[in-house]
Amino acid sequence: MADRSGSAEDRLIARYFRPLARHPGTFEFKDDAAAITPPAGHDLVLKTDGLIEGVHFFPDDPAASVARKALRVNLSDLAAKGATPLGFLLAIALPKGFSEHWLADFARGLGEDADVYRCPLLGGDTDATPGPISISISAFGTLPTGTMVRRAGAKPGDHVFVTGTIGDAALGLQVRRNAAMASQWKLDDVMRDHLVSRYRLPQPRNALAETLRAHASAAMDVSDGLAADLAKLCGVSGVSAEIDIARVPLSPATAHALKTDATLIEPILTGGEDYEILCAVAPSSVAVFEAAAAKAGVPVTDIGRIVTGDSPPGFLDRAGRPLAFARPGYSHF
Amino acid sequence: MADRSGSAEDRLIARYFRPLARHPGTFEFKDDAAAITPPAGHDLVLKTDGLIEGVHFFPDDPAASVARKALRVNLSDLAAKGATPLGFLLAIALPKGFSEHWLADFARGLGEDADVYRCPLLGGDTDATPGPISISISAFGTLPTGTMVRRAGAKPGDHVFVTGTIGDAALGLQVRRNAAMASQWKLDDVMRDHLVSRYRLPQPRNALAETLRAHASAAMDVSDGLAADLAKLCGVSGVSAEIDIARVPLSPATAHALKTDATLIEPILTGGEDYEILCAVAPSSVAVFEAAAAKAGVPVTDIGRIVTGDSPPGFLDRAGRPLAFARPGYSHF
């Protein structure tokens, strides 16, 4: 967050981002870089993920929720890896003629979540772009050395758990794109707002980080869809899985929509942006994992088992038949 | 650098970026995040800086040099702060229909510089964008706890040093924009190529990091122009400076251009993208600083003095008159 004395850029940084310089190692963004002292005996967990206007958010989404989503998608990865947030860097590119009101709202939302998740802004970069608003966040977490929860590590017999509910954000995105979907799915206003808010503002499961470190054999967050992400976890673990579709936890809104249109099961399982945690837990650890999750206030649901083999995970209907997906998960290209 | 099994995105990452996963903490980019163990007794220095096509580089610039520049502008900050490179994260947004040849060349250049500067790629994010190619790098360095070289710290009486030569990149950018400038400035091909290469490929002064930690009272890299950056360093240090323009080190090409057009002194001193180091050194440390820089193979030039006061630094001509700048430095907004 270089200070460009006297320039318009400097003024923007001073006005909107300097109030977020709450970590002493930021030097109030009046230096070229931040300096932090990592806790002894700990590893750093590093992650970068970005949002682009028109790709990851709508131009008329509230700027504060765009900022919070940009941070939260990264916090979700830290949570899945078992890490405690340490701080983040922000790179933001703004079109010429952007609204300062938008930026003020963005910085306010960012600062609120930085406080809530105890993940301070450590520095950044602002640029002008001829393209859409682009936000890139690099987030850092810490955990005792060597304890990062890996994707690789799931073993045959492990129970497969997910947190919260699956599919809300995928349906919320469809409603956001086409408001008529809400009436087509016979949703009341509360249900519709629930789905859209789940798309707009992920609820990262940082409260579960310690429990995952203690009890999960493998974990990741669900960003590209439960089916695709489970396939990745199984792939690097050298295993497969069998999931009971009926046990996949759904919110009342998503369950209601699915009842009106059974084909929605595909976007529910593949649509992504859930930002829930998917993990594998050894049978001997299941009871203590469930108790620890309950204590942390995070709902977890056992949805199936890790099995041997290298075939893609099977999502089984009530008759035990595997579902075939037309489009297994989100890809940008 | 999430692995999206079976997707086109996964294939891109596997083909072009996985060969760069040389740090064991990257888990071959087959996990959600990287994990590194910071050296005990050290601080982390964090910096993010980005490049956008059409803003920071030309669409027909070689992709390998775009990649190297993206990394080097960050390495330059680490150098100025006295830090040793540890690694970096890459976020890259590519327009639909981008050339894989471009990406292959980009990854090759990035991998080469990651090796040269011992700064491995630790993870990343690839996205599709409706806008121009956008590259954001977050770079991390280490140094003994509490020893980051600050911008604040320059004291009246300190000598002001710069490394290398100033103004080449600013003139190189003008030539790159309008090839006729080379003949207008009566440059031969070698001079012209020197200026363009200085714009295209910064030479960060990482070899000087330890010397700066040991002997500089304040330092920063010159990215927004010598005049603006010195003003920032003086501003946060609560001092001013007097610089002898005649002592500012120029390459033969820049000196030649300046001889044909004396007004070029303004872009030379304000154009930016030098990625040289500007620092203040106490009189008692000057001799040992100069000797250490020579040993590190980095040319340094004493260009003036830090003085008391809060006026902007003066750039004095041979008659001792301060130069007035129309546009003191680069700002995106």
Side-chain angles (χ1 to χ4, degrees):
Chain A
M1 202 66 71
D3 183 312
R4 321 216 171 191
S5 297
S7 75
E9 193 168 341
D10 175 47
R11 194 179 54 77
L12 288 180
I13 292 167
R15 179 173 295 176
Y16 300 114
F17 293 110
R18 188 152 300 146
L20 276 60
R22 290 169 197 145
H23 188 291
T26 60
F27 309 111
E28 300 183 309
F29 303 141
K30 290 178 180 171
D31 210 310
D32 304 274
I36 55 172
T37 308
H42 282 63
D43 282 355
L44 273 176
V45 174
L46 305 104
K47 172 69 189 182
T48 183
D49 208 353
L51 301 185
I52 298 170
E53 181 187 14
V55 179
H56 304 91
F57 65 93
F58 291 87
D60 62 340
D61 276 339
S65 76
V66 171
R68 296 166 80 188
K69 183 168 183 174
L71 182 55
R72 289 178 181 206
V73 300
N74 286 285
L75 288 166
S76 178
D77 284 297
L78 296 183
K81 302 292 99 181
T84 302
L86 179 68
F88 70 103
L89 297 173
L90 165 73
I92 183 165
L94 296 163
K96 301 230 180 223
F98 70 94
S99 142
E100 281 210 29
H101 179 80
W102 190 95
L103 190 63
D105 195 33
F106 180 90
R108 184 180 55 75
L110 197 64
E112 280 174 15
D113 268 8
D115 287 348
V116 167
Y117 292 96
R118 299 182 186 205
C119 189
L121 177 63
L122 296 174
D125 181 36
T126 54
D127 280 311
T129 176
I133 298 173
S134 299
I135 302 146
S136 181
I137 282 182
S138 294
F140 318 110
T142 61
L143 40 68
T145 295
T147 64
M148 186 179 105
V149 184
R150 300 285 314 279
R151 278 191 196 171
K155 287 178 188 55
D158 284 357
H159 294 226
V160 178
F161 281 90
V162 289
T163 59
T165 58
I166 296 295
D168 298 333
L171 300 194
L173 173 59
Q174 289 197 31
V175 171
R176 189 71 181 78
R177 279 190 181 136
N178 179 4
M181 299 312 293
S183 52
Q184 192 173 315
W185 297 337
K186 302 185 171 54
L187 302 178
D188 61 28
D189 289 358
V190 172
M191 291 174 170
R192 181 200 60 202
D193 292 350
H194 170 79
L195 296 182
V196 171
S197 82
R198 288 276 288 161
Y199 161 73
R200 210 175 250 166
L201 201 57
Q203 304 291 333
R205 298 300 190 174
N206 297 81
L208 200 66
E210 196 180 330
T211 300
L212 292 167
R213 268 205 326 274
H215 306 299
S217 52
M220 66 187 296
D221 74 331
V222 182
S223 54
D224 294 337
L226 179 61
D229 287 335
L230 179 60
K232 286 169 205 171
L233 187 146
C234 287
V236 293
S237 296
V239 297
S240 186
E242 290 182 350
I243 302 301
D244 289 338
I245 293 172
R247 289 158 68 191
V248 173
L250 305 181
S251 69
T254 292
H256 189 87
L258 182 62
K259 229 163 74 177
T260 65
D261 180 354
T263 69
L264 290 180
I265 193 62
E266 173 141 357
I268 289 168
L269 296 177
T270 65
E273 298 215 69
D274 298 292
Y275 299 106
E276 295 291 352
I277 286 169
L278 167 70
C279 64
V281 178
S284 60
S285 299
V286 162
V288 63
F289 169 79
E290 289 179 323
K295 202 172 161 194
V298 178
V300 297
T301 306
D302 184 338
I303 60 170
R305 296 289 177 280
I306 299 293
V307 299
T308 55
D310 56 6
S311 53
F315 282 78
L316 310 178
D317 66 16
R318 287 180 194 281
R321 287 175 308 229
L323 196 68
F325 297 113
R327 176 178 175 280
Y330 188 77
S331 169
H332 278 294
F333 299 102
Chain B
M1 202 65 75
D3 183 310
R4 321 218 170 189
S5 295
S7 75
E9 193 169 339
D10 176 46
R11 194 179 54 76
L12 288 181
I13 292 167
R15 181 173 293 177
Y16 300 114
F17 292 111
R18 189 152 298 147
L20 275 58
R22 291 171 197 144
H23 187 291
T26 60
F27 310 111
E28 300 182 311
F29 304 139
K30 289 177 181 172
D31 210 310
D32 303 273
I36 56 172
T37 308
H42 281 63
D43 281 355
L44 273 176
V45 174
L46 306 103
K47 172 70 190 181
T48 185
D49 207 354
L51 301 185
I52 298 171
E53 181 187 16
V55 179
H56 304 90
F57 65 93
F58 292 87
D60 62 340
D61 276 338
S65 76
V66 171
R68 297 166 80 188
K69 184 168 182 173
L71 182 53
R72 289 180 181 204
V73 300
N74 286 284
L75 288 166
S76 179
D77 283 298
L78 296 183
K81 302 292 100 182
T84 303
L86 180 69
F88 70 102
L89 298 172
L90 166 73
I92 182 165
L94 296 163
K96 301 232 180 221
F98 71 93
S99 144
E100 282 210 28
H101 179 79
W102 190 94
L103 191 62
D105 194 32
F106 180 90
R108 184 180 56 72
L110 197 64
E112 281 175 14
D113 267 8
D115 288 348
V116 166
Y117 292 96
R118 300 182 184 205
C119 188
L121 177 63
L122 296 175
D125 180 36
T126 56
D127 280 310
T129 177
I133 298 172
S134 300
I135 303 146
S136 181
I137 283 183
S138 294
F140 319 110
T142 62
L143 40 68
T145 295
T147 65
M148 188 179 106
V149 184
R150 300 285 315 281
R151 277 191 196 171
K155 287 177 188 57
D158 284 358
H159 294 226
V160 178
F161 280 90
V162 289
T163 59
T165 57
I166 295 297
D168 298 334
L171 300 194
L173 173 57
Q174 289 199 29
V175 171
R176 188 72 182 76
R177 280 191 180 138
N178 178 4
M181 299 313 292
S183 51
Q184 192 173 315
W185 296 337
K186 301 186 170 57
L187 302 178
D188 62 28
D189 289 359
V190 172
M191 290 174 171
R192 182 200 60 205
D193 292 351
H194 170 79
L195 296 183
V196 172
S197 81
R198 287 276 287 162
Y199 162 72
R200 208 175 252 163
L201 200 58
Q203 304 292 332
R205 299 300 189 174
N206 298 81
L208 200 66
E210 198 181 328
T211 300
L212 292 168
R213 270 205 324 276
H215 306 298
S217 51
M220 67 186 297
D221 75 331
V222 182
S223 55
D224 293 337
L226 179 60
D229 288 335
L230 180 59
K232 287 168 202 167
L233 187 146
C234 286
V236 293
S237 296
V239 297
S240 187
E242 289 182 350
I243 303 300
D244 289 338
I245 294 172
R247 288 157 70 188
V248 173
L250 305 181
S251 69
T254 292
H256 188 86
L258 181 62
K259 229 163 74 177
T260 65
D261 180 354
T263 70
L264 291 179
I265 193 63
E266 172 140 357
I268 288 168
L269 296 177
T270 66
E273 297 216 70
D274 297 292
Y275 298 107
E276 296 291 352
I277 287 170
L278 167 69
C279 64
V281 178
S284 60
S285 298
V286 163
V288 62
F289 170 78
E290 288 180 322
K295 202 172 161 193
V298 178
V300 295
T301 305
D302 184 338
I303 60 170
R305 295 290 178 280
I306 300 293
V307 298
T308 55
D310 57 6
S311 53
F315 283 77
L316 310 178
D317 66 16
R318 287 182 194 279
R321 288 174 305 228
L323 197 67
F325 298 114
R327 177 178 175 278
Y330 188 76
S331 168
H332 278 295
F333 299 102

